[in-house]
């Protein structure tokens, strides 16, 4: 059993936004939270003469969200890149997410989410005291977790 000191915290996790496989979008680096959900669906089918339904499952991709504070107007350039792809002005642009988890025992796990599609992107200014925040929701067909230790 792991001791409490061995659990990973957000300070050991980084998220990088990568465009076209190599450009790290450093204008959005003040990530506040990150969530990735492996989307799976349980299928259930009943047949005559059987007492219970049979179960199966399918993988439907990965979806998630993250929020960031912005410190430069270039964050809006990233949103414009996303919009240009959605509007088919730059259909070959690829957006990837890379989450790096550095565990206290020295293990490092990289979660790569290639060819991300983005949903609505609200830009929020809560009040005079609040920092401007951008929320991103995303989905992709696949994700890969690789041991980088």
């Amino acid at each position: 059993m792991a001791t409490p000191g061995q659990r990973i915290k957000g300070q050991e996790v980084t998220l990088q936004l990568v465009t076209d496989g190599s450009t790290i979008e450093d204008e959005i680096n003040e990530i506040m939270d990150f969530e990735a959900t492996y989307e799976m669906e349980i299928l259930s089918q009943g047949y005559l003469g059987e007492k219970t339904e049979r179960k199966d499952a399918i993988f439907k991709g990965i979806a998630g969200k993250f929020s960031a504070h912005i410190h430069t107007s270039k964050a809006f350039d990233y949103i414009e890149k996303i919009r240009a792809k959605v509007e088919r002005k730059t259909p070959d642009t690829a957006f990837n997410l890379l989450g790096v988890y550095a565990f206290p025992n020295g293990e490092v796990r990289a979660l790569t989410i290639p060819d991300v599609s983005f949903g609505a992107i609200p830009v929020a200014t809560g009040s005079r005291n609040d920092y401007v925040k951008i929320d991103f929701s995303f989905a992709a067909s696949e994700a890969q977790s690789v041991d980088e230790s």
Side-chain angles (χ1 to χ4, degrees):
M1 183 162 98
T3 62
Q6 294 176 329
R7 294 179 293 175
I8 190 169
K9 293 181 180 178
Q11 66 189 15
E12 286 92 31
V13 179
T14 58
L15 178 67
Q16 294 180 336
L17 303 126
V18 182
T19 304
D20 291 331
S22 61
T23 304
I24 296 175
E25 303 291 348
D26 59 358
E27 63 267 14
I28 301 177
N29 60 10
E30 294 168 341
I31 308 293
M32 298 163 39
D33 55 67
F34 171 61
E35 177 181 307
T37 303
Y38 291 84
E39 300 282 341
M40 295 175 228
E41 182 177 336
I42 297 173
L43 306 174
S44 186
Q45 181 64 52
Y47 295 98
L48 295 176
E50 294 184 1
K51 303 273 188 234
T52 63
E53 292 188 346
R54 295 182 190 183
K55 306 293 185 216
D56 202 352
I58 57 172
F59 179 65
K60 298 182 78 174
I62 191 160
K65 60 186 180 177
F66 62 93
S67 301
H69 284 151
I70 59 174
H71 63 276
T72 173
S73 64
K74 290 185 179 183
F76 290 97
D77 294 341
Y78 186 69
I79 295 171
E80 288 302 318
K81 288 179 191 178
I82 293 168
R83 184 174 155 201
K85 179 178 179 168
V86 170
E87 293 176 346
R88 304 278 189 218
K89 294 176 183 174
T90 58
D92 295 332
T93 300
F95 298 104
N96 304 324
L97 297 177
L98 174 64
V100 179
Y101 299 81
F103 290 86
N105 65 359
E107 294 176 341
V108 177
R109 180 66 63 151
L111 175 63
T112 303
I113 307 171
D115 199 21
V116 170
S117 295
F118 288 97
I121 304 172
V123 178
T125 308
S127 72
R128 186 177 70 83
N129 304 7
D130 294 328
Y131 294 112
V132 174
K133 181 176 96 165
I134 301 178
D135 292 319
F136 295 88
S137 60
F138 66 87
S141 297
E142 61 184 87
Q144 184 177 22
S145 174
V146 177
D147 187 355
E148 298 281 322
S149 303

